[in-house]
Amino acid sequence: MSAIRPEVAREEPAPPLWEQAVTVVIIILLTGALVGPILAPTQEETPVLRLMWLPVYGATLGLVLLRLDKLWRIWPAALILLIMVIHAYASKYWSIDPGVTTRRTIAFALSSLFALYLGARFRGPHLPRVMMIACLLMGLGSLAMVFGNPTVGIHQYENAGLWRGLWYEKNQMGLVMVSGVIAAAANLASSDTRRVSLSMILSWATVGTCSLLVLATQSKTSLLCLILGVGIVIGFWAMRKGGAAFTVVCVWLGVVIGALIVYLVITEPAVILKALGKDPSLTGRTDIWAALMRKVAERPWTGFGYQAFWGRTSVPAEWIRIETQWPVPSAHNGWIDLLVQLGWPGAVLVGGTMALVFFTLLFRVGGAGGREGYFSLAYFVVFLLLSLSESVLMTNANLPWTLLVAALARGFLPEPEADRHVAAAALDRRADEGYLTRPRIAANYGHGPLRRSLPVRRRARA
């Protein structure tokens, strides 16, 4: 039986334009583009910012109710998110700031609900396409801000001269633009490149615009994520086009290179960091991590409450700032940040969920993965890297976590009908003859009727 190729699967129609437009707006708001720097320039939660999210939450609930026929199929992913929400909400009973924990849990539940909708509704190549359009709009807006209002679009004091576009700081813009480049590369990998189309033009425009903005941030983390994510898309696309022998060679090289990188990270981490232009102490982050792990030891099973540790009036956070001698805004490590919020149970829950996402994506890489241009798998690897340096785990109103939950939802979606029956169709072209044998007459020969070289005439009776 021949392998199932992604090209033969039936592609579901794209959502209507109004639904795509609403989704693009919500994605842009999840990144904090422009709204944060204008409504909350000091990066503190304000009443105006809370009111601004009410229409977004209303639109999310409307989309979910409208597409319940799509979302019921991903009930295992919804159950996993429900357990996370319950755990986060329960932490208010031991939180050092119960009010913040309650509000952030509600926001986390609604943003995760949108992520489930995004993964279930935008199937196949439609997810990277809608991401690509959103990131292209944000990229063009960032260029307009850089050249039209440089006091907002360019850092003026710290990191002076580096571009930050529509966001508070350069790393935020870099990570959003990385997702745009990966989405555009995935769209090109899943499209027919033999003919020029509007989708192809937009893809190359997104690659150029977003790559330029990543370089303008001079963020080594963003550049590494860009190379890693696009490299995975190109690698799987090349294996699909190159055949079995080329696939074996690529897998062998990937294993060897991966093992070498892991060996260097374990034995010579300073060499890797210096090669990336980083201080071996990660600009003081190792001191933050050591201080935070001492706080984790105080509450290893409960943590200090969901999203409550880094509050302005938080006493434990103030001790961290005094010990490290600088105003630490976060742990700069998703796993340690999760530990101080929800303890080891929260970290184990999220770690198990990420393992589940990885194995479901790997299992579907030959079917659904190929149809979406390997976007989910590439972004999962990027997210895993981000979690080691940024607080992106179980966050509300956050694009990286939204895309991870969307990938989780897609892992539970059933394969399209064409994929499940393409093998049976290859055995017999007519579905109603799947269990019948063909007549063994020459006129019904499978490669066409048998033609005689000379006509046969009946002999007339005397």
Side-chain angles (χ1 to χ4, degrees), residues 174-212:
L175 296 179
V176 174
M177 294 299 104
V178 165
S179 64
V181 178
I182 297 174
N187 190 51
L188 288 171
S190 63
S191 302
D192 184 4
T193 56
R194 293 171 295 182
R195 58 186 182 86
V196 178
S197 62
L198 177 61
S199 178
M200 184 184 298
I201 295 173
L202 291 176
S203 297
W204 284 114
T206 304
V207 169
T209 302
C210 295
S211 298
L212 172 64

Side-chain angles (χ1 to χ4, degrees), residues 88-89 92 95 97-108 306:
Y89 185 78
K92 77 172 187 176
S95 172
D97 195 338
V100 169
T101 295
T102 302
R103 290 196 304 270
R104 298 289 175 84
T105 300
I106 295 173
F108 169 69
Y306 179 70

Side-chain angles (χ1 to χ4, degrees), residues 165-408:
L166 304 174
W167 291 271
Y168 287 116
E169 50 97 19
K170 64 185 184 68
N171 288 336
Q172 289 178 296
M173 182 177 76
L175 296 179
V176 174
M177 294 299 104
V178 165
S179 64
V181 178
I182 297 174
N187 190 51
L188 288 171
S190 63
S191 302
D192 184 4
T193 56
R194 293 171 295 182
R195 58 186 182 86
V196 178
S197 62
L198 177 61
S199 178
M200 184 184 298
I201 295 173
L202 291 176
S203 297
W204 284 114
T206 304
V207 169
T209 302
C210 295
S211 298
L212 172 64
L213 291 170
V214 170
L215 294 175
T217 65
Q218 296 186 17
S219 170
K220 303 297 189 301
T221 301
S222 299
L223 184 59
L224 180 60
C225 290
L226 175 65
I227 295 172
L228 186 61
V230 175
I232 290 174
V233 171
I234 294 175
F236 275 98
W237 176 83
M239 285 192 289
R240 190 181 76 189
K241 298 294 184 181
F246 184 74
T247 299
V248 171
V249 173
C250 287
V251 171
W252 181 83
L253 286 175
V255 171
V256 171
I257 294 173
L260 179 61
I261 292 174
V262 170
Y263 173 78
L264 290 175
V265 169
I266 294 174
T267 59
E268 297 291 342
V271 175
I272 301 293
L273 294 172
K274 288 181 179 179
L276 295 174
K278 293 281 188 180
D279 182 5
S281 67
L282 291 173
T283 321
R285 292 184 184 183
T286 52
D287 297 332
I288 302 173
W289 298 342
L292 283 171
M293 289 308 295
R294 287 190 286 273
K295 290 297 179 182
V296 171
E298 296 178 10
R299 295 189 180 187
W301 298 108
T302 60
F304 291 84
Y306 179 70
Q307 296 282 325
F309 187 86
W310 296 106
R312 186 169 53 178
T313 60
S314 170
V315 176
E318 188 62 27
W319 277 108
I320 298 296
R321 294 176 179 123
I322 292 173
E323 186 174 346
T324 56
Q325 293 298 306
W326 70 288
V328 184
S330 68
H332 292 289
N333 183 292
W335 298 100
I336 297 178
D337 223 339
L338 194 60
L339 284 172
V340 296
Q341 293 179 51
L342 297 174
W344 285 102
V348 170
L349 176 60
V350 173
T353 301
M354 291 185 65
L356 180 62
V357 173
F358 173 72
F359 286 113
T360 54
L361 292 178
L362 200 61
F363 179 75
R364 295 161 61 89
V365 71
R371 288 191 299 277
E372 68 170 4
Y374 312 103
F375 172 74
S376 295
L377 184 60
Y379 198 83
F380 172 82
V381 176
V382 169
F383 181 87
L384 188 61
L385 178 62
L386 284 179
S387 68
L388 302 177
S389 60
E390 303 291 338
S391 299
V392 293
L393 299 175
M394 275 190 71
T395 49
N396 60 291
N398 181 271
L399 181 63
W401 178 256
T402 298
L403 293 178
L404 179 78
V405 175
L408 172 66

Side-chain angles (χ1 to χ4, degrees), residues 127-142:
L127 177 59
R129 285 174 189 170
V130 75
M131 275 300 308
M132 175 188 71
I133 293 171
C135 291
L136 178 59
L137 292 175
M138 288 185 284
L140 295 175
S142 295

